[in-house]
Amino acid sequence: MADETPAQEAPAGIKMSVLAQYIRDMSFENILVQKGGAGDVTPDVSVQVNIDAKKRTVENQFEVIIKLMIKSNDKASEAALFLMELDYGGVFQVENVPEDQLHPFLLIECPRMLFPFVRRVVSDVTRDGGFPPLNLETIDFLQLYRAELTRRAEAEAKNATVS
């Protein structure tokens, strides 16, 4: 007769679903045209990225926001060409992620899912704003997360020594 002991159940796998994506806030200013400038310019673009995540009232749902501040200046004159601010959000259903891994999951994996759409919005808006389309380089969200942890640890150490 076969052994009838129940098989051990494998741990449930991580489940993530993107429930919604949206532009929460966006601004684009073509400073070059507003100031009456034109002609040959050599753009120098800087991009600042911040990520925010928060729990929603529905169980296992989270909102993740990618916040971009993109500035372009002329390399020669350092005159501002354009300024773009974009807050792009996603609502995620996340299940079976251990509590100690939820924070990095929300700030690394969820933004990775949103990034191709953010890149497209930036490209379309810069093109429609009168500039060549800006194709953002891929963002390393893991490196961004690690840098933020390091920054916070250094700030806490500095505050501890000041006290």
Side-chain angles (χ1 to χ4, degrees):
M1 201 180 250
D3 188 341
E4 294 186 20
T5 57
Q8 286 187 341
E9 291 186 26
I14 294 174
K15 294 181 184 176
M16 176 177 64
S17 300
V18 181
L19 303 178
Q21 295 183 59
Y22 58 95
I23 295 173
R24 186 170 79 174
D25 190 25
M26 184 174 67
S27 169
F28 182 85
E29 298 177 48
N30 186 331
I31 300 166
L32 180 66
V33 170
Q34 291 176 14
K35 291 187 175 181
D40 285 338
V41 292
T42 306
D44 182 26
V45 178
S46 69
V47 180
Q48 292 179 338
V49 181
N50 287 306
I51 311 293
D52 188 25
K54 66 180 180 181
K55 176 122 178 66
R56 294 172 51 102
T57 55
V58 177
E59 186 178 358
N60 297 324
Q61 281 191 12
F62 301 88
E63 178 181 47
V64 177
I65 306 290
I66 298 175
K67 299 176 181 186
L68 294 177
M69 164 101 48
I70 303 169
K71 295 179 182 178
S72 180
N73 296 326
D74 180 33
K75 283 184 181 179
S77 69
E78 296 186 15
L81 302 177
F82 72 81
L83 173 64
M84 180 175 182
E85 296 177 31
L86 174 65
D87 290 3
Y88 192 88
V91 177
F92 295 85
Q93 180 82 23
V94 178
E95 298 176 21
N96 304 325
V97 175
E99 190 66 32
D100 64 328
Q101 296 175 14
L102 186 58
H103 188 256
F105 186 87
L106 292 174
L107 297 178
I108 298 168
E109 296 305 322
C110 293
R112 282 182 183 163
M113 297 293 291
L114 296 176
F115 183 73
F117 303 96
V118 170
R119 176 186 277 160
R120 176 66 188 265
V121 169
V122 169
S123 176
D124 288 350
V125 169
T126 53
R127 182 197 65 229
D128 293 348
F131 292 92
L134 177 60
N135 188 25
L136 293 176
E137 295 289 326
T138 301
I139 296 172
D140 184 349
F141 292 102
L142 175 59
Q143 187 275 332
L144 196 65
Y145 181 77
R146 287 178 177 161
E148 180 62 15
L149 289 180
T150 301
R151 186 195 66 76
R152 287 183 183 187
E154 289 172 355
E156 286 177 15
K158 183 179 179 184
N159 288 339
T161 58
V162 171
S163 300

